[in-house]
Amino acid sequence: MGAPPGYRPSAWVHLLHQLPRADFQLRPVPSGFAPQEQEYQQALLLVAALAGLGLGLSLIFIAVYLIRFCCCRPPEPPGSKTPSPGGGCVTWSCIVALLAGCIGIGIGFYGNSETSDGVSQLSSALLHANHTLSAIDHLVLETVERLGEAVRTELTTLEEVLEPRTELVAAARGARRQAEAAAQQLQGLAFWQGVPLSPLQVAEDVSFVEEYRWLAYVLLLLLELLVCLFTLLGLAKQSKWLVIVMTVMSLLVLVLSWGSMGLEAATAVGLSDFCSNPDPYVLNLTQEETGLSSDILSYYFLCNQAVSNPFQQRLTLSQRALANIHSQLLGLEREAVPQFPSAQKPLLSLEETLNVTEGNFHQLVALLHCRGLHKDYGAALRGLCEDALEGLLFLLLFSLLSAGALATALCSLPRAWALFPPRNPSVLCSGSRLSEPLLPAG
Amino acid sequence: MGAPPGYRPSAWVHLLHQLPRADFQLRPVPSGFAPQEQEYQQALLLVAALAGLGLGLSLIFIAVYLIRFCCCRPPEPPGSKTPSPGGGCVTWSCIVALLAGCIGIGIGFYGNSETSDGVSQLSSALLHANHTLSAIDHLVLETVERLGEAVRTELTTLEEVLEPRTELVAAARGARRQAEAAAQQLQGLAFWQGVPLSPLQVAEDVSFVEEYRWLAYVLLLLLELLVCLFTLLGLAKQSKWLVIVMTVMSLLVLVLSWGSMGLEAATAVGLSDFCSNPDPYVLNLTQEETGLSSDILSYYFLCNQAVSNPFQQRLTLSQRALANIHSQLLGLEREAVPQFPSAQKPLLSLEETLNVTEGNFHQLVALLHCRGLHKDYGAALRGLCEDALEGLLFLLLFSLLSAGALATALCSLPRAWALFPPRNPSVLCSGSRLSEPLLPAG
């Protein structure tokens, strides 16, 4: 009965992980996650650079297309009665591109919220782990203090009361030794005490970064939505200045889209490498950051039959010490109370302390068991490697769609704009053409 | 150190929970969740009936509008050169309505996936709880069997070997008694054994229903998307038969939208009543279904400082019995082994059994602690009351948007269609009008 089924890398992780990676000299780089190695960093930068290449190519294509359109086929004179044969096609392709951009924006909003969900799952798992770890420390401290208090007050009183009979004093001393031994064993269980790494701090940092990432994407999505809508409005109203402004804005958003695509692709590739086998990396990193022994960390991070509980020995010893105190107190109650009635009060108080300590001990055993913390680890991994990665892929799709849509729009907008009739206030204001886009102008 | 922060009702739950409810005689009904009471069922049916009222009103409105349009203002003769003044406005309003419908469909897809997420969170929490419960049963069974085996074989051998010295035989008999007591106490911990309710079965049932709900919504959304797109195509191509078919389909989808809205509203209201205070209802229901004592159930469902561990006594007794066996075995090893070397082998084997049993005991303490199962309960509630309810509200918004959009479309489509020119193959095939929706037809 090990841990319940935990995290398993998804098909996307496998797919991305199998893509070839290369450094700046185009030598193949192994796809294990190693962000501290220069070669691996170069491989990720190269993935991001591919987006830069895409941006460059699409800019060159747009420039060549527009130059060819301007120089080789001068537009019809504005007063011409027959529209150029490709004119309607240009407007339609522009509209279709902008609608594809809008669909991309919808996908982008979905991906952004999915990524945000995944990251918030990660930080809530970290918060939960922090709660468990601080509960362990708190419980150990409380129990040890309670035992120490009992040793200092009740057991001392008991020894004083029982002084006339040496064998009873010896039994009380035995109980004292056992209580001290139990306290010492318990003290060793507070393994996270003094560890410099705080999951709470990590969760706060992650949430902080995620907040700004989320906001940046929402702004980018809204910017692109506004550009799409205002471009459509400009086309509908045949407003040259609006279309020109929106062409410039489209260029800006095109650059931003390719930039975000580079970031997303590099992050997705890095994340897939991490997610294909996260345990060794997380284990090493946590060991470096916390200085905890590897058997404790593998117990929590792996939590399977192969790894034994590193606290088993201590738990068994404290449990035995507590049981011994109980049987000694039972013996004292039987032997001493008839002769020394004043021993009854400290004995009862000691038994109550023992009961509470045993309750705390069971809670401690439950908290220390790997199940709880390993479940948090699994939830954090699922948040990062399933939801966040999936959201990232949706964002990648959004960037791709919007880059394509904006490139098409940038190619068609100047041509559509060249087809507008000369500025004529009556056209702008009448709206008579606007009102019948699809009906035959009789 | 109680359980970590669990489920808290969201603002939506509070808002929906505060809406007034009434039965068929319009007497107010308390908003506590009581699905078995007739009054409460009537209140939910009344909420669903509001959607039927909405459907009826919108159908009456559409009929009155269209009859007025047909009888009071006969359409222009088809050959007329001047389009009717409202014609363009009608087409535009139809297009805007269909676009609003498309936005609604996007929201519907999001809401459907959100609801599905919430319900799958619920069933994965149930699966996890099932895993914990069966792990407890399995572990108890294994430990009791192991102890029984040790009593039958090693302790019997030991007693035979030690027969010459009665005080050693007495110690071995003491260990046997303690082992039997521990086994008996442990057996009482398998509290889920023989319980007729299986969380696995519940999870499978929930997943089964959810699968069909999800599929039904996806089909409804796709149907509405197709209706929107084909209506737009019919308007663009000015194809009368397509617009007529799509008008009929719109009517069908309108009825489906109002129907789904009724279901969603009733479910959302019922869910908000459940979610505003789920503990008493779940506690009662589980008690009825399982027949478990209320202190066990409240321990797991509430899991706070006020509820003590109902297994504390048994755990403490088994722990003491195990510690006593250990000290007796230690005594026997010290006393008996120098005199009876053949006693060493069963003693060593018994100590190993004891170590394994203590390890199992710690695992059992961890599994029995309310933390794990309460966390699953919290996750199930969050899935149902946060994600699923939120998704349901998005679906409600979709139904509302699509009902509005379709009603507008149904009002405008016959008018738009009346404005189409008489069937003329050249218009249908040339596409010349299609290609220039926004540019002046010079």
Side-chain angles (χ1 to χ4, degrees), chain B residues 170-245:
Chain B
R173 293 238 166 95
R176 172 192 288 263
R177 268 198 307 279
Q178 296 287 352
E180 283 166 354
Q184 203 198 340
Q185 293 297 343
L186 286 175
Q187 212 140 29
L189 294 175
F191 70 99
W192 200 260
Q193 220 159 31
V195 164
L197 182 75
S198 157
L200 181 69
Q201 188 59 44
V202 177
E204 277 173 3
D205 292 351
V206 165
S207 299
F208 180 80
V209 172
E210 168 59 19
E211 221 165 85
Y212 282 94
R213 190 206 61 74
W214 183 85
L215 191 66
Y217 264 103
V218 166
L219 290 180
L220 176 64
L221 288 162
L222 286 182
L223 179 67
E224 194 174 331
L225 188 64
L226 285 181
V227 168
C228 283
L229 292 183
F230 276 104
T231 311
L232 281 175
L233 186 72
L235 285 176
K237 284 265 181 196
Q238 307 196 354
S239 154
K240 263 188 195 180
W241 69 266
L242 193 57
V243 172
I244 293 174
V245 169

Coordinates of all heavy atoms in Angstrom, one line a residue, chain B residues 170-245:
Chain B
A170 N 5.8 -18.5 31.2 CA 4.8 -17.4 31.6 C 5.1 -16.2 30.8 O 4.1 -15.5 30.3 CB 4.9 -17.2 33.1
A171 N 6.3 -15.8 30.7 CA 6.7 -14.5 29.9 C 6.2 -14.7 28.5 O 5.7 -13.8 27.9 CB 8.2 -14.2 30.0
A172 N 6.5 -15.9 27.9 CA 6.1 -16.1 26.5 C 4.6 -16.1 26.4 O 4.1 -15.5 25.4 CB 6.7 -17.5 26.1
R173 N 3.9 -16.7 27.4 CA 2.4 -16.6 27.3 C 1.9 -15.2 27.4 O 1.0 -14.8 26.8 CB 1.9 -17.4 28.5 CG 2.1 -18.9 28.4 CD 0.8 -19.7 28.4 NE 1.1 -21.1 28.0 CZ 1.4 -22.1 28.8 NH1 1.3 -21.9 30.1 NH2 1.6 -23.3 28.3
G174 N 2.6 -14.4 28.3 CA 2.3 -12.9 28.4 C 2.4 -12.3 27.0 O 1.5 -11.5 26.6
A175 N 3.5 -12.6 26.3 CA 3.7 -12.0 25.0 C 2.6 -12.4 24.0 O 2.0 -11.6 23.3 CB 5.1 -12.4 24.4
R176 N 2.2 -13.7 24.2 CA 1.1 -14.2 23.3 C -0.2 -13.5 23.6 O -0.9 -13.0 22.7 CB 0.9 -15.7 23.6 CG -0.3 -16.3 22.9 CD -0.6 -17.7 23.5 NE 0.4 -18.7 23.1 CZ 0.3 -19.5 22.1 NH1 -0.9 -19.5 21.4 NH2 1.2 -20.4 21.7
R177 N -0.5 -13.3 24.9 CA -1.7 -12.5 25.3 C -1.7 -11.1 24.7 O -2.7 -10.6 24.1 CB -1.8 -12.5 26.8 CG -2.7 -13.6 27.4 CD -3.1 -13.2 28.8 NE -2.0 -12.8 29.6 CZ -1.2 -13.7 30.3 NH1 -1.4 -15.0 30.1 NH2 -0.2 -13.2 31.0
Q178 N -0.5 -10.5 24.8 CA -0.4 -9.1 24.3 C -0.6 -9.1 22.8 O -1.2 -8.2 22.2 CB 1.0 -8.5 24.7 CG 1.2 -8.3 26.1 CD 0.4 -7.2 26.7 OE1 -0.2 -6.4 26.0 NE2 0.4 -7.1 28.0
A179 N 0.0 -10.1 22.1 CA -0.1 -10.1 20.6 C -1.6 -10.3 20.2 O -2.1 -9.6 19.3 CB 0.8 -11.2 20.1
E180 N -2.3 -11.2 21.0 CA -3.7 -11.4 20.7 C -4.5 -10.1 20.9 O -5.4 -9.7 20.1 CB -4.2 -12.5 21.5 CG -3.8 -13.9 20.9 CD -4.0 -15.1 21.8 OE1 -4.4 -14.8 23.0 OE2 -3.8 -16.2 21.4
A181 N -4.1 -9.4 22.0 CA -4.8 -8.2 22.4 C -4.6 -7.1 21.3 O -5.5 -6.4 20.8 CB -4.4 -7.6 23.7
A182 N -3.3 -7.0 20.8 CA -3.0 -6.0 19.8 C -3.7 -6.3 18.5 O -4.3 -5.5 17.9 CB -1.5 -6.0 19.5
A183 N -3.8 -7.7 18.2 CA -4.5 -8.0 16.9 C -5.9 -7.7 17.0 O -6.6 -7.2 16.1 CB -4.3 -9.5 16.7
Q184 N -6.5 -7.9 18.2 CA -7.9 -7.6 18.4 C -8.2 -6.1 18.3 O -9.2 -5.7 17.6 CB -8.4 -8.1 19.8 CG -9.9 -8.4 19.9 CD -10.3 -8.5 21.3 OE1 -9.5 -8.7 22.2 NE2 -11.6 -8.3 21.5
Q185 N -7.3 -5.3 18.9 CA -7.5 -3.9 18.8 C -7.4 -3.4 17.4 O -8.1 -2.6 16.9 CB -6.5 -3.1 19.7 CG -6.6 -3.3 21.2 CD -7.9 -2.8 21.7 OE1 -8.6 -2.0 21.0 NE2 -8.4 -3.2 22.9
L186 N -6.4 -4.0 16.7 CA -6.1 -3.5 15.3 C -7.3 -3.9 14.4 O -7.7 -3.1 13.6 CB -4.8 -4.2 14.8 CG -3.5 -3.6 15.3 CD1 -2.4 -4.4 14.8 CD2 -3.4 -2.2 14.9
Q187 N -7.9 -5.1 14.7 CA -9.0 -5.5 13.9 C -10.2 -4.5 13.9 O -10.8 -4.3 12.9 CB -9.5 -6.8 14.4 CG -10.1 -7.7 13.3 CD -9.7 -9.2 13.4 OE1 -9.5 -9.6 14.6 NE2 -9.5 -9.9 12.3
G188 N -10.3 -3.8 15.1 CA -11.4 -2.9 15.2 C -11.1 -1.6 14.4 O -12.0 -0.8 14.2
L189 N -9.9 -1.4 13.9 CA -9.6 -0.2 13.2 C -10.1 -0.2 11.7 O -10.2 0.8 11.1 CB -8.1 0.1 13.2 CG -7.5 0.4 14.6 CD1 -6.0 0.5 14.5 CD2 -8.1 1.6 15.1
A190 N -10.3 -1.4 11.2 CA -10.8 -1.5 9.8 C -12.2 -1.1 9.7 O -13.1 -2.0 9.4 CB -10.5 -2.9 9.3
F191 N -12.5 0.2 9.9 CA -13.9 0.6 10.1 C -14.7 0.6 8.8 O -15.9 0.5 8.8 CB -13.9 2.0 10.7 CG -13.5 3.1 9.8 CD1 -14.4 3.9 9.1 CD2 -12.1 3.3 9.6 CE1 -14.0 4.9 8.3 CE2 -11.7 4.4 8.8 CZ -12.6 5.1 8.1
W192 N -14.0 0.5 7.6 CA -14.8 0.6 6.4 C -15.1 -0.8 5.9 O -15.7 -1.0 4.8 CB -14.0 1.4 5.3 CG -14.8 1.9 4.2 CD1 -15.0 1.3 3.0 CD2 -15.7 3.0 4.2 NE1 -15.8 2.0 2.2 CE2 -16.3 3.1 2.9 CE3 -16.0 4.0 5.2 CZ2 -17.2 4.1 2.6 CZ3 -16.9 5.0 4.8 CH2 -17.5 5.0 3.5
Q193 N -14.6 -1.9 6.6 CA -14.9 -3.2 6.2 C -16.4 -3.6 6.2 O -17.0 -3.3 7.3 CB -14.1 -4.2 7.0 CG -13.5 -5.3 6.2 CD -12.3 -5.9 7.0 OE1 -12.4 -6.0 8.2 NE2 -11.3 -6.4 6.3
G194 N -16.9 -4.1 5.1 CA -18.3 -4.5 5.1 C -19.3 -3.4 5.0 O -20.5 -3.5 5.1
V195 N -18.7 -2.1 4.7 CA -19.6 -1.0 4.5 C -20.2 -1.1 3.1 O -19.4 -1.3 2.2 CB -18.9 0.3 4.8 CG1 -19.6 1.5 4.2 CG2 -18.6 0.5 6.3
P196 N -21.5 -0.9 2.9 CA -22.1 -1.1 1.6 C -21.7 0.0 0.6 O -22.0 -0.2 -0.6 CB -23.6 -1.2 1.9 CG -23.8 -0.5 3.1 CD -22.5 -0.7 3.9
L197 N -21.3 1.1 1.1 CA -21.0 2.3 0.2 C -19.6 2.2 -0.3 O -18.6 2.2 0.5 CB -21.3 3.6 0.9 CG -21.1 4.9 0.1 CD1 -22.3 5.1 -0.8 CD2 -21.0 6.1 1.0
S198 N -19.4 2.2 -1.7 CA -18.1 2.3 -2.2 C -17.8 3.6 -2.9 O -18.5 3.9 -3.9 CB -17.9 1.1 -3.2 OG -16.9 1.4 -4.1
P199 N -16.8 4.4 -2.4 CA -16.6 5.7 -3.1 C -16.2 5.4 -4.6 O -16.4 6.3 -5.4 CB -15.4 6.2 -2.3 CG -15.4 5.6 -1.0 CD -16.0 4.2 -1.3
L200 N -15.5 4.3 -4.8 CA -15.2 4.0 -6.2 C -16.4 3.9 -7.1 O -16.4 4.5 -8.2 CB -14.5 2.6 -6.2 CG -14.0 2.1 -7.6 CD1 -12.8 2.9 -8.1 CD2 -13.5 0.6 -7.5
Q201 N -17.5 3.2 -6.6 CA -18.7 3.1 -7.4 C -19.3 4.5 -7.6 O -19.7 4.8 -8.7 CB -19.7 2.2 -6.6 CG -20.9 1.8 -7.3 CD -20.6 1.1 -8.6 OE1 -19.7 0.3 -8.7 NE2 -21.2 1.5 -9.7
V202 N -19.3 5.3 -6.5 CA -19.9 6.7 -6.6 C -19.1 7.5 -7.7 O -19.7 8.1 -8.5 CB -19.8 7.4 -5.2 CG1 -20.3 8.8 -5.4 CG2 -20.7 6.6 -4.2
A203 N -17.8 7.4 -7.6 CA -16.9 8.1 -8.6 C -17.2 7.6 -10.0 O -17.3 8.5 -10.9 CB -15.5 7.9 -8.2
E204 N -17.4 6.3 -10.2 CA -17.7 5.8 -11.5 C -19.1 6.3 -12.0 O -19.2 6.7 -13.2 CB -17.7 4.3 -11.5 CG -16.2 3.8 -11.7 CD -16.1 2.3 -11.5 OE1 -17.2 1.7 -11.4 OE2 -15.0 1.8 -11.6
D205 N -20.0 6.3 -11.1 CA -21.4 6.8 -11.5 C -21.3 8.3 -11.8 O -21.9 8.7 -12.9 CB -22.4 6.6 -10.3 CG -22.6 5.2 -10.1 OD1 -22.2 4.3 -10.9 OD2 -23.3 4.8 -9.0
V206 N -20.6 9.1 -11.0 CA -20.5 10.5 -11.3 C -19.8 10.7 -12.6 O -20.3 11.5 -13.5 CB -19.7 11.2 -10.1 CG1 -19.3 12.6 -10.6 CG2 -20.5 11.3 -8.9
S207 N -18.7 10.0 -12.9 CA -18.0 10.2 -14.2 C -18.9 9.8 -15.3 O -18.9 10.5 -16.4 CB -16.8 9.3 -14.2 OG -15.9 9.7 -13.2
F208 N -19.7 8.7 -15.2 CA -20.6 8.3 -16.2 C -21.6 9.3 -16.6 O -21.8 9.7 -17.8 CB -21.3 7.0 -15.7 CG -22.2 6.4 -16.7 CD1 -21.7 5.6 -17.8 CD2 -23.6 6.6 -16.6 CE1 -22.6 5.0 -18.7 CE2 -24.5 6.0 -17.5 CZ -24.0 5.3 -18.6
V209 N -22.3 9.9 -15.6 CA -23.3 10.9 -15.8 C -22.6 12.1 -16.4 O -23.1 12.7 -17.4 CB -24.0 11.3 -14.5 CG1 -24.9 12.5 -14.7 CG2 -24.8 10.1 -14.0
E210 N -21.5 12.5 -15.9 CA -20.8 13.7 -16.3 C -20.4 13.6 -17.8 O -20.5 14.5 -18.6 CB -19.6 14.0 -15.5 CG -18.6 15.0 -16.0 CD -19.2 16.4 -16.2 OE1 -20.3 16.6 -15.6 OE2 -18.7 17.2 -16.9
E211 N -20.0 12.4 -18.2 CA -19.6 12.1 -19.6 C -20.7 12.5 -20.5 O -20.6 13.2 -21.5 CB -19.2 10.7 -19.8 CG -18.0 10.4 -20.6 CD -17.5 9.0 -20.4 OE1 -18.0 8.1 -21.1 OE2 -16.6 8.8 -19.5
Y212 N -21.9 12.0 -20.2 CA -23.1 12.3 -21.1 C -23.5 13.7 -21.0 O -23.9 14.3 -22.0 CB -24.2 11.3 -20.7 CG -24.0 10.0 -21.3 CD1 -23.4 9.0 -20.5 CD2 -24.3 9.7 -22.6 CE1 -23.1 7.7 -21.1 CE2 -24.0 8.4 -23.1 CZ -23.5 7.5 -22.4 OH -23.2 6.2 -22.9
R213 N -23.4 14.3 -19.8 CA -23.8 15.8 -19.7 C -22.8 16.6 -20.6 O -23.2 17.4 -21.4 CB -23.6 16.2 -18.2 CG -24.2 17.6 -18.0 CD -23.5 18.3 -16.8 NE -22.0 18.4 -17.0 CZ -21.5 19.3 -17.8 NH1 -22.3 20.2 -18.5 NH2 -20.2 19.4 -18.0
W214 N -21.5 16.3 -20.5 CA -20.5 17.0 -21.3 C -20.8 16.8 -22.8 O -20.8 17.8 -23.5 CB -19.1 16.4 -20.9 CG -18.0 17.1 -21.6 CD1 -17.4 18.2 -21.2 CD2 -17.4 16.7 -22.8 NE1 -16.4 18.6 -22.1 CE2 -16.4 17.6 -23.1 CE3 -17.5 15.6 -23.7 CZ2 -15.6 17.6 -24.2 CZ3 -16.7 15.6 -24.8 CH2 -15.7 16.5 -25.0
L215 N -21.1 15.6 -23.2 CA -21.3 15.3 -24.6 C -22.5 16.0 -25.1 O -22.5 16.6 -26.2 CB -21.5 13.8 -24.8 CG -21.5 13.3 -26.2 CD1 -20.1 13.6 -26.8 CD2 -21.8 11.9 -26.3
A216 N -23.6 16.0 -24.2 CA -24.8 16.7 -24.6 C -24.6 18.2 -24.9 O -25.1 18.8 -25.9 CB -25.9 16.5 -23.6
Y217 N -23.8 18.8 -24.0 CA -23.6 20.2 -24.1 C -22.7 20.5 -25.3 O -22.9 21.5 -26.1 CB -22.9 20.8 -22.9 CG -23.9 21.4 -22.0 CD1 -24.3 20.8 -20.8 CD2 -24.5 22.6 -22.3 CE1 -25.3 21.3 -20.0 CE2 -25.4 23.2 -21.5 CZ -25.9 22.5 -20.4 OH -26.8 23.1 -19.6
V218 N -21.7 19.6 -25.6 CA -20.8 19.8 -26.7 C -21.7 19.8 -28.0 O -21.5 20.6 -28.9 CB -19.7 18.8 -26.8 CG1 -19.0 18.8 -28.1 CG2 -18.7 19.2 -25.7
L219 N -22.6 18.8 -28.0 CA -23.5 18.7 -29.2 C -24.4 19.9 -29.4 O -24.5 20.4 -30.5 CB -24.3 17.4 -29.1 CG -23.5 16.1 -29.3 CD1 -24.5 14.9 -29.1 CD2 -22.8 16.1 -30.6
L220 N -24.9 20.4 -28.2 CA -25.8 21.6 -28.3 C -25.0 22.8 -28.8 O -25.4 23.6 -29.7 CB -26.3 21.9 -26.9 CG -27.2 23.1 -26.8 CD1 -28.4 23.1 -27.6 CD2 -27.6 23.4 -25.3
L221 N -23.7 22.9 -28.3 CA -22.9 24.1 -28.7 C -22.5 24.0 -30.2 O -22.6 25.0 -30.9 CB -21.6 24.1 -27.8 CG -21.8 24.5 -26.4 CD1 -20.7 24.1 -25.5 CD2 -22.0 26.0 -26.3
L222 N -22.2 22.7 -30.6 CA -21.8 22.6 -32.0 C -23.0 22.9 -32.9 O -22.9 23.5 -33.9 CB -21.3 21.2 -32.3 CG -19.9 20.9 -31.7 CD1 -19.4 19.5 -32.1 CD2 -18.9 21.9 -32.3
L223 N -24.2 22.4 -32.5 CA -25.4 22.6 -33.2 C -25.7 24.1 -33.4 O -25.9 24.6 -34.5 CB -26.6 21.9 -32.5 CG -28.0 22.1 -33.2 CD1 -28.0 21.4 -34.5 CD2 -29.1 21.6 -32.3
E224 N -25.5 24.8 -32.3 CA -25.8 26.3 -32.3 C -24.7 27.0 -33.2 O -25.0 27.9 -34.0 CB -25.8 26.9 -30.9 CG -26.4 28.2 -31.0 CD -26.6 28.8 -29.6 OE1 -26.8 28.1 -28.6 OE2 -26.5 30.1 -29.5
L225 N -23.5 26.5 -33.1 CA -22.4 27.1 -33.9 C -22.7 26.9 -35.4 O -22.6 27.8 -36.2 CB -21.1 26.4 -33.5 CG -19.8 27.1 -34.2 CD1 -19.7 28.5 -33.6 CD2 -18.6 26.2 -33.8
L226 N -23.1 25.7 -35.7 CA -23.5 25.4 -37.1 C -24.6 26.2 -37.6 O -24.6 26.8 -38.7 CB -23.8 23.9 -37.3 CG -22.6 22.9 -37.2 CD1 -23.1 21.5 -37.4 CD2 -21.6 23.3 -38.3
V227 N -25.6 26.4 -36.7 CA -26.8 27.2 -37.1 C -26.3 28.6 -37.4 O -26.7 29.2 -38.4 CB -27.9 27.1 -36.0 CG1 -28.9 28.2 -36.2 CG2 -28.5 25.8 -36.0
C228 N -25.5 29.2 -36.5 CA -25.0 30.6 -36.6 C -24.2 30.7 -37.9 O -24.5 31.6 -38.7 CB -24.1 31.0 -35.5 SG -25.0 31.3 -34.0
L229 N -23.3 29.7 -38.2 CA -22.4 29.9 -39.4 C -23.3 29.7 -40.6 O -23.1 30.5 -41.6 CB -21.3 28.8 -39.3 CG -20.3 29.1 -38.2 CD1 -19.2 28.0 -38.3 CD2 -19.7 30.5 -38.3
F230 N -24.2 28.7 -40.6 CA -24.9 28.5 -41.9 C -25.9 29.6 -42.1 O -26.2 30.0 -43.2 CB -25.7 27.1 -41.8 CG -24.8 26.0 -42.3 CD1 -24.2 25.1 -41.4 CD2 -24.4 25.9 -43.6 CE1 -23.4 24.1 -41.8 CE2 -23.6 24.9 -44.0 CZ -23.1 24.0 -43.1
T231 N -26.4 30.2 -41.0 CA -27.3 31.4 -41.2 C -26.5 32.5 -41.8 O -27.0 33.2 -42.8 CB -27.9 31.8 -39.9 OG1 -28.4 30.7 -39.2 CG2 -29.0 32.9 -40.1
L232 N -25.3 32.8 -41.3 CA -24.5 33.8 -41.9 C -24.2 33.5 -43.4 O -24.2 34.4 -44.2 CB -23.1 33.9 -41.1 CG -23.2 34.7 -39.8 CD1 -21.9 34.6 -39.1 CD2 -23.6 36.1 -40.0
L233 N -23.9 32.2 -43.6 CA -23.6 31.8 -45.0 C -24.8 32.1 -45.9 O -24.7 32.6 -47.0 CB -23.2 30.4 -45.1 CG -22.8 29.9 -46.4 CD1 -21.4 30.4 -46.8 CD2 -22.7 28.3 -46.4
G234 N -26.0 31.7 -45.3 CA -27.3 31.9 -46.1 C -27.5 33.4 -46.4 O -27.9 33.8 -47.5
L235 N -27.2 34.3 -45.4 CA -27.4 35.7 -45.6 C -26.4 36.2 -46.6 O -26.7 37.0 -47.5 CB -27.2 36.4 -44.3 CG -28.3 36.4 -43.3 CD1 -27.9 37.1 -42.0 CD2 -29.6 37.0 -43.8
A236 N -25.1 35.7 -46.6 CA -24.1 36.2 -47.5 C -24.4 35.7 -48.9 O -24.3 36.5 -49.9 CB -22.8 35.6 -47.1
K237 N -24.9 34.4 -49.0 CA -25.2 33.9 -50.3 C -26.6 34.3 -50.8 O -27.0 33.9 -51.9 CB -25.0 32.4 -50.3 CG -23.6 31.9 -50.3 CD -23.2 31.5 -51.7 CE -21.8 31.0 -51.7 NZ -21.2 31.0 -53.1
Q238 N -27.4 34.9 -49.9 CA -28.8 35.2 -50.2 C -29.5 34.0 -50.6 O -30.3 34.0 -51.6 CB -28.8 36.3 -51.2 CG -28.0 37.5 -50.7 CD -28.3 38.8 -51.4 OE1 -29.1 38.8 -52.4 NE2 -27.8 39.9 -51.0
S239 N -29.3 32.9 -49.9 CA -29.9 31.6 -50.3 C -31.2 31.5 -49.4 O -31.1 31.3 -48.2 CB -29.0 30.5 -50.1 OG -29.7 29.3 -49.9
K240 N -32.4 31.5 -50.1 CA -33.6 31.5 -49.3 C -33.8 30.2 -48.6 O -34.1 30.2 -47.4 CB -34.8 31.7 -50.3 CG -35.3 33.2 -50.3 CD -36.5 33.3 -51.1 CE -36.7 34.8 -51.4 NZ -37.9 35.1 -52.1
W241 N -33.6 29.1 -49.3 CA -33.9 27.8 -48.6 C -33.0 27.6 -47.4 O -33.4 27.1 -46.4 CB -33.8 26.6 -49.6 CG -32.4 26.3 -50.1 CD1 -31.8 26.8 -51.2 CD2 -31.4 25.5 -49.5 NE1 -30.5 26.4 -51.3 CE2 -30.2 25.5 -50.2 CE3 -31.4 24.7 -48.3 CZ2 -29.1 24.8 -49.9 CZ3 -30.3 24.0 -48.0 CH2 -29.1 24.1 -48.8
L242 N -31.7 28.0 -47.5 CA -30.8 27.8 -46.4 C -31.3 28.7 -45.2 O -31.3 28.2 -44.1 CB -29.4 28.3 -46.8 CG -28.3 27.9 -45.8 CD1 -28.2 26.4 -45.6 CD2 -26.9 28.3 -46.4
V243 N -31.7 29.9 -45.5 CA -32.2 30.8 -44.4 C -33.4 30.2 -43.8 O -33.6 30.2 -42.6 CB -32.4 32.2 -44.9 CG1 -33.1 33.1 -43.9 CG2 -31.1 32.9 -45.3
I244 N -34.3 29.6 -44.6 CA -35.6 29.1 -44.1 C -35.2 27.9 -43.2 O -35.7 27.8 -42.1 CB -36.5 28.6 -45.2 CG1 -37.0 29.9 -46.0 CG2 -37.7 27.8 -44.7 CD1 -37.8 29.5 -47.2
V245 N -34.4 27.0 -43.7 CA -34.0 25.8 -42.9 C -33.4 26.3 -41.6 O -33.7 25.8 -40.5 CB -33.0 24.9 -43.7 CG1 -32.4 23.8 -42.7 CG2 -33.7 24.2 -44.8

